Amino acid sequence: MYMMWFDDNNKKPVERKIDEAITAYIRHFKTRPNVVLVNEADRVALPDIRVRVASYVQRNNFWVGWEDAAAINAAAQVATTGTH
């Protein structure tokens, strides 16, 4: 499940926008997310959370959520090798 966060304040760095999105996610879902989907223009490297570019995410939108690590690894294997 993802929670979408929008912040188009140009004076605020992307890292802070994502941090605020994570805080809102925790407040709402009572658990910490492990991934945030971003537009290519908003790509940053952050500790403790996977930041992944998604072509369908618009600039200044941050989709914060949880992805199962085993499912991610299996999908990555299929994508790179074509096998399960």
Side-chain angles (χ1 to χ4, degrees):
M1 179 176 310
Y2 291 94
M3 181 184 81
M4 192 187 98
W5 187 260
F6 175 77
D7 189 335
D8 64 350
N9 182 340
N10 291 328
K11 296 179 181 177
K12 195 184 301 183
V14 171
E15 294 86 353
R16 183 167 165 210
K17 294 176 184 183
I18 292 173
D19 186 53
E20 290 173 357
I22 291 168
T23 299
Y25 184 95
I26 293 169
R27 187 171 46 249
H28 185 77
F29 294 107
K30 310 295 188 234
T31 189
R32 184 166 179 79
N34 69 350
V35 65
V36 60
L37 306 181
V38 300
N39 181 276
E40 176 68 38
D42 294 317
R43 180 195 303 235
V44 293
L46 295 173
D48 304 323
I49 192 160
R50 172 184 278 156
V51 178
R52 192 162 48 103
V53 171
S55 62
Y56 49 85
V57 176
Q58 297 294 311
R59 180 102 198 259
N60 297 311
N61 285 269
F62 306 93
W63 294 24
V64 185
W66 179 264
E67 292 181 347
D68 180 53
I72 293 168
N73 293 337
Q77 180 181 2
V78 170
T80 57
T81 66
T83 61
H84 296 246

